[in-house]
Amino acid sequence: MTSAPFMLNLDCDMFVNNPKVLYQALCLLLGFESEVQSGFVQFPQIFHGALKDDPYGNQLKVLIKWWSTLSRRLESGVGIACDCSKVHLHFNGVFEGLKLQLRQCMVYLSVLLWAARSVPELCYAILPALCIFTNTSIFPKITDPEFKLPAAVFIIFNIYTLVEYLLCGLSLREWWNNQRMAKIVSSTAWLFGLLAVLLKVFGISETVFELTRKDDLEGASPEAGKFIFDSSAIYVPATTLLFVNMTALALGLAKMVMEMEAAAHVGELVCCAWVVMSFLPFVKGLFRRGQYGIPWPTVCKSGTATLILRKGTRERETMSGSGGLPLQERVEHPNTVERVFLSILSVLILCLLLYRLAVLPELPGGAAFGVWLAAFLWECWFAFMWVLSLNYKWHFVENRTFPDRLFQRLDRPLIYRNTHTHTHTENHESSCNYEISYSKSSGICRFKSSQEFPAMDVFVTTADPVMEPPIITVNTVLSILAVDYPASKIACYVSDDGCSPITFFSLLEASKFAHSWVPFCKKYGVEYRAPFKYFSLSQTYHNPSSTFHQDWKEMKKAYEELAKKILEAAHKSIPDEFSGEEFSDFAQVEKRNHPAIVKIINEHKGREDDQVPHLIYVSREKRPSHAHHFKAGAMNVLVLDKAHVSLNPDGSAASNPFTRVSGVMTSAPFMLNLDCDMFVNNPKALYQALCLLLGFESEVQSGFVQFPQMFHGALKDDPYGNQLKVLIKHLMPGSNACQGPMYGGTCCFHRRKVIYGQQPSERPQAKNGPHNYQLANEALAAIFGRNQPLIESALRATSEGRALVDPSPSETLSSSLEAAIAVSACDYEDNTLWGKQITDPEFKLPAAVFIIFNIYILVEYLLCGLSVREWWNNQRMARIVSSTAWLFGLLAVLLKVFGISETVFELTRKDDLEGAPAEAGKFIFDSSAIYVPATTLLFVNMTALVLGLANMVMEVETAAYVGELVCCAWVVMSFLPFVKGLFRRGQCGIPWPTVCKSGTASLIFICLCRRFSN
C-alpha cells in the first residue's frame, strides 16, 4: 500500500517515549557512507512503572546498559547492528547471507544458548547435594590449599557482576534479585522452552505459543513482587532442586555438628546454601496458600522425586560409611618447568662427554693426556649419577591420607573428631587378635571385630645414657604413649643396648608421669605430645579456661621435677634409687657382657579408664663370644634375600626374622621403629599410617610406610647441611613415584608377616587349614627355634586371618615374660635358620653445565621456602661430607667385605633439650684421620689457585686455565670452614698433627705432578 523505505515494528505495549525517535533513527540509517554499515536500528525496551529492585529480574537494565558494547556505544543508548554487507530481501535464519565477525557470532551464539544453559546449570546445582549424600566431594577440603581456587572463582565472579550492577546505578538488592531469578528461570522457563524446541525438532510435538498477560495501566497491585504458582509441571524441577539441596544442607550440617567430617564438605555446603537462598521465593511458597503458595500436587511430585534420588544414593552412602571411599589417594605434582631444566642439563652433560671423547685422541701423551682422561672418567661417573638422580627428579607423587574414613570401616562406625580427644578404648589384650575381611564386590578391607583397630608395636632403640641422654628417650616414649590411638592396642618397647640402670630408672619415672600426662594431652587436644617441646612453645596457653591454666601449671611442674630427678640420677655414680628389688638384675652387669633383661614397666589392664599403653624395657643378652651387630642386632632385622621362602598352605616355610620379644608378648601385625630422639610430632600419625597400610586393594602396593625425619630447634640456614629439607621435599615424592621411598632406618611402619618371611598377598583368602598346623609348626621350629610362643606368633602373623592358633584371652604380658627372656638370649639363633640370612667455543659447554646445574639446585631450595644461604651451606656440606664421612664409610665397608676388618659402629652424641650452645654453627675438629683427606684437598686447591693467579698476573697464560681456576676457587669456598679452622685454636681449630699430615701429602702430590708434567 505505501512501500516506505524504512519500517518500525512494535509490540502492543511498547509506546514511543521520545517524540524525536524517528529523527534519531534516520540519523543512524542515513548517517553512514555505506548502507552496509547500518543494517537496522534496535531501540532498547524501557519499562515504566517497574517494581522497585526488579524482584522478577526481567527489566534487563544491565543488559541494556552493556548491550551497546557488543558493537558500538552512542550517547542516545541506541545500539546499531553489526555489518551486513549481503542482506537478501527474503532470508531464513539469522546468519544466512550475513557476513559476521567472529566476536559477533559468539555474541549471537551466547544468546541462542541461553535456554540450553538450563540443563548443565540444573545438573551442576544438584552435584554438591549428591556429594553430601554419597560422602564424596567435588571440592577440596577447606584446610587444603587447593580450596582457594574454587573459592576465588566464586567470590571474584560475584564481585564482578555486583560491580556491573553498581556501575549501572542499581542497588545491591536488585543485583541479588537478578542473580536468583537467573537460577529460577534456568530451572523453569528455559528448561521447558528447551524441551519444547527439542520436541518440535524431532517432530514429536508442535511448539505452543502462549500469550503473556499485559498489566493494565492502573499501576502495580499491593501484592506485586510476590511469586505466583499454579499446578503446572514447570515448577516441579525447581521445587525438587530446592528439596534436594535443603535435605543435603541439613544432613551436611548435622555431620559437621557431630564432627564426623568438619572440613570435608564446606564447599558443597556453601553451594547448597547458595541454591536454597536463590530459591527463597519457593521456600516461602511452601508456607503460603492460594496463588502465592506452591500447590500440593507440585509439592508431592517434587518430594517423591527427592525421595527417589535420596534412596538411589543411600546405597552409595552406606558403602562409603563401611569403607567405600579410599583411605588414601595418589596425588601427582606437575613439574613441567623442572623437566625442562633436567632435559637441558642432560643434553649439555652428554655434549660435554662427547667433546671430551672427541678431543682425547688429538692430545699428546704425558700429563695433558692423563689429566684429560681422568676428567673424562670422573665426568662419566658424575653423568652416571645424574642419570640415576633423574629417576626421582622426573616425577613427583605424594599419598594423601584420610583418617576420618578409617573410622567408617568399622561395623559400628565411630566419630573421628578433629580435636585430639579419643575416649574409645577396648577391653581386649593387644595379642594379635586382628582379622580383616575383604568385600567380594569392591575388594575393600573392613574389620570383623567390632570397634577394633589393629595393634601396633613401637620400638625405641637407645645404646648409651651418656651419648643419648635418658631425658631424650623419655620424651620420645611419652610422645608415643600419648598418641591418639586405643591404649590397649599400643605396646612400646624400649631396647637398651647399654643395659643402663639409669635408662631403666628414667622409664620408671616416666611411666608414673605418663598417668597424668596422657590424660592431660587427650583432654585438651595437645598437639606436641613430647613434654619438652610442648612446654617450650610460647603459645602453650591455647585454652582460656581457668581449669586448663591450673592443670598446665601442675603438669609443667611435674615435668620439671621428672627432668630434675633423671638428671640427678645420671650424675650420681650409684644413686640411692637403684637399691630396690627392681634394680637387682642390673647389679654387676657390664655393657657388653650381661644376661637378658626384660621388664614390664607398665601393663595396660584393659579398662576403659586406663589410658596408658604397655611399656616394656628390653636389654638383650650380650656376650663377648657372640657378635651383637649393634642397632641391627637390637632390632633383629635381616634384609630379604634370595633364600626367601613364604609360609604356604601346605606348611612349607622360611624365615626372615624380626623382633622376637614382641612376637611372644604382643605380636602386633604392624610395627613402628624409632630412634630415641625421634618423638612423635603428630598424634594422628598411627591413623595416617593405617590409611597407607590398609588403603590399597593389594598389600604388595604398600610394603612399609616411611615417615620423614623433621628436626626441631635446628640452626638457621642449616650450617651443617644435615636437615634434609630438600631431600624430604623432592627425593621422597620422587622415589614414591617409582615404587616408594627407601627405608630410612627410623620412623618406619612395617608388616610383621613380611618380616617373618611371607610374601604380601594379592588378596587375602579366608581359608581354614587345621590339617596343616603340625607341618607348619615343625617347619617354623627349624626356623625360629623351639620357643612355642614365638612359633605361634609366626603362625598368626602369616595365616592371613586363618584361625591356625586360638590365642588365649586370659594371657597377659606377665605370663609371657619368661618366653621373652628366653628369645632375647644371644645364643637363641644357634642351630636355627634365624641367623643364617644376611674461551674456546667449547668452554661454553662446561660453563653452561656448571651454571645451569647450580641454578636448578638453587631453584629447588627456593621452591622449598629455603634461603640462598641455606642452599650454599648444603652444597658445601655435600663436598665436605663426601671427602670425610662418606669416604671413610666406603673404606670401612670394603675392609669388611674383604675380611680385613670389622665395621665399627660409633654412636653419635644426641644434643640435649636445652637449646643450641653459643658455639653452634662452628665446625669442631679433632686429631682423627677423617679430616686429613679434606684438609689435603684444601691445601692442593689453595696452592693451585695461588699458582694459577700468579701466572695470570704475569700474563704467562691469561686465558688458558680460567675453568680450572674457577673449579679450584669453588673447592676452596666449599671448604671455607676448614680455612677458618687453620687460624682457630681449641676444638674449633684443626690440630697441628692433621695440618702436618695434610701438608706433607699435598707436597708429595704437587711434586709428583710437577715431575710427571716435566
Side-chain angles (χ1 to χ4, degrees), residues 76-151:
S76 62
V78 179
I80 307 172
C82 69
D83 187 9
C84 45
S85 57
K86 297 181 180 178
V87 182
H88 296 285
L89 186 59
H90 303 286
F91 61 86
N92 296 319
V94 178
F95 297 105
E96 183 178 347
L98 299 182
K99 184 180 179 181
L100 299 177
Q101 297 177 358
L102 176 62
R103 292 178 59 193
Q104 190 70 21
C105 292
M106 296 176 69
V107 171
Y108 277 115
L109 185 61
S110 69
V111 176
L112 290 174
L113 292 179
W114 270 359
R117 288 168 45 190
S118 59
V119 175
E121 286 185 7
L122 182 64
C123 295
Y124 195 78
I126 209 170
L127 271 182
L130 291 178
C131 290
I132 295 176
F133 289 159
T134 58
N135 202 22
T136 56
S137 60
I138 57 173
F139 298 112
K141 290 185 178 180
I142 192 173
T143 54
D144 296 338
E146 296 84 356
F147 181 81
K148 298 176 183 178
L149 184 58

Side-chain angles (χ1 to χ4, degrees), residues 172 240 310 397:
L172 178 64
T240 304
R310 181 71 182 104
V397 170

Side-chain angles (χ1 to χ4, degrees), residues 450-693:
S450 177
Q451 299 182 343
E452 182 169 321
F453 288 111
M456 289 275 188
D457 286 344
V458 185
F459 305 95
V460 180
T461 55
T462 183
D464 192 311
V466 177
M467 301 294 286
E468 298 172 335
I471 190 63
I472 296 179
T473 306
V474 163
N475 273 274
T476 300
V477 170
L478 289 173
S479 70
I480 296 167
L481 299 180
V483 295
D484 285 341
Y485 203 77
S488 62
K489 297 300 173 186
I490 300 177
C492 179
Y493 293 84
V494 179
S495 172
D496 180 18
D497 248 18
C499 193
S500 169
I502 297 175
T503 302
F504 178 66
F505 168 76
S506 301
L507 294 173
L508 281 176
E509 296 300 318
S511 175
K512 300 173 185 176
F513 175 74
H515 283 82
S516 55
W517 171 248
V518 174
F520 173 81
C521 292
K522 296 187 177 182
K523 178 180 179 181
Y524 295 111
V526 173
E527 180 179 1
Y528 293 102
R529 304 291 168 96
F532 92 93
K533 179 67 174 177
Y534 174 68
F535 292 118
S536 65
L537 297 176
S538 58
Q539 58 268 39
T540 303
Y541 280 102
H542 65 284
N543 194 314
S545 68
S546 58
T547 306
F548 168 76
H549 290 176
Q550 182 65 28
D551 292 347
W552 184 90
K553 291 178 181 178
E554 293 178 358
M555 198 57 54
K556 188 173 188 296
K557 181 180 179 181
Y559 173 70
E560 290 173 348
E561 292 176 354
L562 170 67
K564 181 180 179 181
K565 188 179 294 186
I566 293 174
L567 185 62
E568 290 176 350
H571 288 166
K572 295 180 182 179
S573 58
I574 304 178
D576 298 335
E577 295 86 349
F578 294 177
S579 58
E581 182 180 352
E582 295 173 323
F583 294 90
S584 59
D585 293 335
F586 295 94
Q588 299 179 351
V589 298
E590 298 179 9
K591 184 176 181 179
R592 292 180 174 82
N593 187 11
H594 61 81
I597 300 176
V598 180
K599 290 185 174 294
I600 301 171
I601 297 177
N602 183 77
E603 183 173 1
H604 189 274
K605 304 303 181 183
R607 300 190 309 269
E608 187 173 352
D609 59 343
D610 189 357
Q611 300 187 50
V612 181
H614 300 306
L615 178 59
I616 302 101
Y617 173 88
V618 180
S619 183
R620 60 195 172 112
E621 182 184 14
K622 282 187 178 181
R623 300 300 179 191
S625 58
H626 286 77
H628 57 85
H629 302 297
F630 310 103
K631 177 182 176 181
M635 292 297 298
N636 199 14
V637 178
L638 296 179
V639 179
L640 300 178
D641 60 14
K642 62 183 179 180
H644 179 89
V645 185
S646 62
L647 179 66
N648 299 317
D650 61 356
S652 60
S655 168
N656 283 297
F658 198 76
T659 308
R660 299 187 292 264
V661 173
S662 67
V664 301
M665 298 189 77
T666 53
S667 191
F670 300 118
M671 299 166 289
L672 165 64
N673 74 290
L674 295 171
D675 288 346
C676 66
D677 57 343
M678 296 293 171
F679 62 88
V680 181
N681 271 329
N682 185 358
K684 307 291 185 186
L686 271 62
Y687 290 128
Q688 292 181 339
L690 276 185
C691 290
L692 295 171
L693 290 167

Side-chain angles (χ1 to χ4, degrees), residues 338-359:
E338 186 166 6
R339 290 183 180 183
V340 172
F341 267 98
L342 295 174
S343 301
I344 294 174
L345 270 173
S346 301
V347 172
L348 290 174
I349 292 173
L350 179 61
C351 293
L352 177 61
L353 294 178
L354 294 176
Y355 165 69
R356 294 280 192 199
L357 192 61
V359 175

